[in-house]
């Protein structure tokens, strides 16, 4: 999909933040653990969610998805090899492994896809499953996991900090009466998953980077849960407001964004923080010096977006990407648009300047969001190709942008 974005635009108005993609996807998979109905509120209508719903339908689950309420009935759930193309389209399909091991002690699935921001192996996931008594093979892109030895309880340490491996290990641990998992990365999305599991009758307690499960009261009742707001979407629109006008960002959770918000406030950007909203005003801050880190540090998903903001500050900035090995694309787009950037491996020095409109291609979801913002501060209009990758993670994006005054057109 190709769009045309008109530059030099003022924005104003309100944006309601949708439910978090990265919180919804593992919870939708975890719903299979409940034999009764699960009602999920605030589920974003984005392509990654529709892909994962197609996998649930293939597994004979009954699905109702009206507005942002998703009702999942997995009473007729059947084990099947997961060799669907949806498994390769998204990264989060790997959460079915943890679920299937918990329910069936086995899983056969196509290896996951997702944004091309690095190699993105799943070795930490596989090590956790091996520590839980499983063996696995990978042949022709198909992961096959089988039970090797039945353990009654587990005490395992995840190889390194990983959002996906932490949540997948928690999902697989639901079969054990007693389990201790350490070295987890408990980001807000993971916390949401644990809250959801506890509503379903599990009894996880969190201590820093560890969780223990004490018992499981199989209540199999109808369960209701509301997905947390998308913190990355909230900050995406915050940066649009800081560069282009005045915005109220509604239904967000600033507590999940303390690190990036603190950088903005400390550097003189005009952001007013309320309980579940942000008021943002066009302002030029001093500079943006960041190093991406695991939560509660600066999120890697905001790195490209803040890179565009750094091109419009009073002073030079430096940004370092520590999580993924291939997430510096936006700086080549900034160079193409007349901004001086000195990129060395995963570090970039940015000299602020005027942005000359250019044409761009979205490489991944968050790079795509960053080039939309870059187009908005261009002197003319820009074309963006491969725009559909952005719709994977931002619900109703075109309508939300147009409602705050952005002129964006789909090109046939
Ligand atoms: C999740 O990816 C998110 N995706 C990503 O969001 C996000 O950027 C990332 O966490 C970091 O916050 C989903 O939740 C669906 P990791 P994930 O495991 O779980 C390496 C977006 O834009 N690693 O924390 O894949 C890995 O290569 C997407 O919404 C291994 O080496 O991230 C990376 O360098 C993009 N082996 C680092 O760890 C493993 O087994 C962090 O990855 C697992 C990870």
């Amino acid at each position: 999909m190709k769009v045309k974005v008109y530059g030099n635009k003022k924005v104003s108005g309100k944006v309601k933040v949708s439910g978090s993609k990265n919180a919804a996807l593992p919870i939708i998979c975890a719903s299979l653990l409940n034999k009764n109905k699960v009602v999920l509120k605030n589920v974003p209508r984005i392509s990654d969610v529709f892909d994962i719903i197609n996998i649930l339908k293939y597994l004979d689950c009954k699905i109702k998805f009206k507005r942002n309420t998703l009702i999942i009935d997995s009473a007729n759930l059947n084990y099947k090899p997961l060799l669907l193309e949806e498994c390769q389209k998204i990264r989060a399909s790997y959460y079915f492994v943890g679920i299937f091991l918990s329910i069936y002690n086995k899983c056969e699935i196509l290896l996951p896809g997702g944004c091309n921001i690095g190699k993105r192996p799943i070795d930490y996931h596989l090590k956790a499953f091996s520590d839980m008594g499983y063996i696995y093979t990978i042949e022709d892109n198909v992961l096959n996991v089988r039970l090797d030895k039945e353990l009654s309880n587990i005490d395992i340490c995840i190889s390194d900090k990983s959002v996906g491996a932490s949540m997948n290990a928690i999902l697989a641990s639901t079969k054990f009466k007693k389990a201790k998992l350490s070295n987890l990365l408990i980001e807000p999305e993971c916390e949401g998953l644990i809250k959801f599991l506890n509503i379903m009758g599990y009894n996880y307690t969190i201590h820093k980077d560890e969780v223990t499960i004490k018992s499981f009261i199989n209540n199999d009742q109808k369960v209701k849960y509301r997905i947390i707001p998308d913190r990355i979407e909230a900050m995406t629109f915050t940066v649009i407001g800081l560069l282009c006008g005045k915005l109220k960002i509604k239904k967000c959770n600033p507590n999940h964004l303390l690190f990036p918000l603190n950088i903005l406030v400390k550097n003189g950007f005009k952001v007013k923080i309320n309980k579940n909203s942000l008021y943002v005003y066009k302002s030029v801050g001093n500079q943006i010096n960041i190093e991406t880190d695991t939560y509660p540090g600066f999120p890697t998903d905001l790195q490209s977006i803040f890179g565009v903001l750094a091109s419009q500050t009073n002073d030079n900035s430096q940004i370092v990407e520590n999580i993924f090995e291939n997430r510096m694309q936006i700086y080549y787009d900034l160079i193409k648009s007349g901004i001086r950037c000195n990129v060395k491996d995963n570090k970039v020095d940015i000299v602020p300047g005027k942005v000359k409109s250019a044409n761009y291609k979205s490489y991944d979801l968050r790079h795509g969001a960053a080039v939309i913002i870059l187009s908005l501060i261009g002197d003319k209009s820009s074309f963006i190709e491969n725009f559909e990758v952005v719709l994977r993670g931002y619900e109703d994006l075109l309508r939300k942008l147009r409602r705050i005054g952005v002129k964006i057109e789909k090109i046939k």
Side-chain angles (χ1 to χ4, degrees):
M1 182 201 286
K2 189 172 176 183
V3 295
K4 180 178 182 181
V5 182
Y6 289 74
N8 234 338
K9 292 304 276 184
K10 291 230 168 321
V11 298
S12 66
K14 297 175 184 160
V15 181
K16 186 174 98 45
V17 173
S18 300
S20 158
K21 164 177 89 81
N22 294 345
L25 296 172
I27 285 173
I28 291 171
C29 292
S31 305
L32 297 183
L33 292 165
N34 192 341
K35 287 291 144 281
N36 208 314
K37 275 197 186 118
V38 169
V39 182
L40 300 176
K41 301 252 180 211
N42 204 31
V43 176
R45 299 182 74 86
I46 52 177
S47 55
D48 274 22
V49 166
F50 287 107
D51 284 334
I52 221 152
I53 285 175
N54 285 342
I55 299 172
L56 293 192
K57 287 180 181 165
Y58 164 77
L59 295 169
D60 303 323
C61 296
K62 287 202 197 78
I63 302 291
K64 267 201 210 107
F65 194 11
K66 255 205 206 106
R67 295 167 65 92
N68 293 107
T69 299
L70 177 62
I71 303 175
I72 300 166
D73 178 353
S74 55
N76 302 329
L77 177 69
N78 281 312
Y79 176 83
K80 292 179 187 172
L82 294 166
L83 308 178
L84 297 77
E85 57 143 358
E86 280 84 348
C87 298
Q88 269 191 323
K89 277 170 73 181
I90 60 176
R91 176 96 178 144
S93 53
Y94 57 24
Y95 291 126
F96 283 105
V97 184
I99 290 294
F100 270 34
L101 295 185
S102 174
I103 304 173
Y104 301 112
N105 265 335
K106 62 179 181 176
C107 182
E108 195 183 345
I109 184 168
L110 272 174
L111 286 175
C115 295
N116 58 348
I117 48 181
K119 286 193 304 296
R120 304 184 82 181
I122 59 168
D123 51 330
Y124 305 162
H125 302 237
L126 298 173
K127 169 76 173 50
F129 299 145
S130 313
D131 294 347
M132 292 183 196
Y134 296 95
I135 46 172
Y136 64 87
T137 58
I138 296 179
E139 258 159 59
D140 307 330
N141 229 13
V142 175
L143 167 67
N144 212 316
V145 191
R146 289 277 178 282
L147 185 66
D148 180 37
K149 46 185 183 308
E150 187 73 72
L151 304 176
S152 54
N153 61 56
I154 51 162
D155 178 348
I156 69 162
C157 178
I158 305 295
S159 321
D160 203 343
K161 293 295 182 196
S162 156
V163 170
S166 301
M167 292 210 259
N168 224 347
I170 289 170
L171 292 172
S173 74
T174 50
K175 86 164 197 185
F176 296 97
K177 293 265 168 304
K178 222 162 147 318
K180 181 179 166 194
L181 307 171
S182 45
N183 199 28
L184 296 174
L185 186 41
I186 303 182
E187 308 210 338
E189 294 74 22
C190 183
E191 214 178 343
L193 172 65
I194 293 169
K195 278 198 185 120
F196 174 69
L197 289 172
N198 286 345
I199 290 174
M200 286 219 291
Y202 294 89
N203 182 2
Y204 282 97
T205 44
I206 302 174
H207 331 258
K208 292 205 192 76
D209 70 347
E210 287 182 7
V211 288
T212 45
I213 173 167
K214 286 213 189 61
S215 60
F216 168 53
I217 317 115
N218 182 349
N219 59 13
D220 262 352
Q221 305 301 316
K222 184 172 166 186
V223 161
K224 275 194 181 158
Y225 180 78
R226 184 178 181 81
I227 303 294
I228 60 168
D230 193 312
R231 57 193 170 110
I232 306 301
E233 182 191 9
M235 287 313 282
T236 304
F237 279 99
T238 296
V239 170
I240 291 176
L242 290 173
L243 288 168
C244 305
K246 191 170 104 169
L247 288 180
K248 178 180 182 184
I249 320 283
K250 292 166 45 182
K251 298 230 185 282
C252 63
N253 183 343
N255 284 333
H256 292 160
L257 291 161
L258 297 177
F259 202 98
L261 285 171
N262 183 34
I263 288 178
L264 294 175
V265 172
K266 220 176 60 183
N267 282 286
F269 288 94
K270 290 197 189 117
V271 184
K272 198 163 150 297
I273 303 169
N274 294 328
K275 193 163 162 299
N276 54 16
S277 64
L278 298 168
Y279 284 89
V280 177
Y281 306 88
K282 181 169 179 168
S283 43
V284 180
N286 305 332
Q287 59 186 165
I288 299 264
N289 288 333
I290 46 180
E291 288 219 23
T292 63
D293 196 352
T294 54
Y295 192 81
F298 190 90
T300 172
D301 289 352
L302 289 177
Q303 181 260 103
S304 316
I305 292 158
F306 270 58
V308 178
L309 183 62
S311 73
Q312 304 302 305
T313 49
N314 287 323
D315 201 345
N316 298 0
S317 298
Q318 184 173 85
I319 294 179
V320 183
E321 169 59 54
N322 291 318
I323 307 289
F324 289 105
E325 63 271 30
N326 175 24
R327 210 167 199 182
M328 304 299 276
Q329 177 59 39
I330 190 63
Y331 304 105
Y332 300 103
D333 295 310
L334 279 166
I335 291 167
K336 195 163 76 168
S337 313
I339 299 292
R340 271 178 43 218
C341 298
N342 177 14
V343 186
K344 202 168 169 339
D345 300 330
N346 272 1
K347 187 184 282 189
V348 60
D349 292 301
I350 303 159
V351 180
K354 280 231 159 310
V355 167
K356 286 198 307 307
S357 295
N359 296 329
Y360 310 104
K361 179 174 178 190
S362 312
Y363 278 86
D364 65 73
L365 166 54
R366 307 303 172 184
H367 167 257
V371 291
I372 293 173
I373 301 172
L374 184 53
S375 308
L376 291 177
I377 57 174
D379 56 351
K380 296 191 182 67
S381 52
S382 303
F383 289 100
I384 303 174
E385 281 183 58
N386 214 22
F387 186 76
E388 61 278 9
V389 296
V390 195
L391 303 179
R392 283 188 50 199
Y394 288 91
E395 180 182 51
D396 227 354
L397 184 60
L398 289 171
R399 190 178 63 82
K400 288 184 180 180
L401 288 170
R402 287 170 179 150
R403 279 188 62 173
I404 58 174
V406 169
K407 203 174 167 204
I408 179 169
E409 294 155 3
K410 277 192 201 172
I411 305 294
K412 290 255 175 317

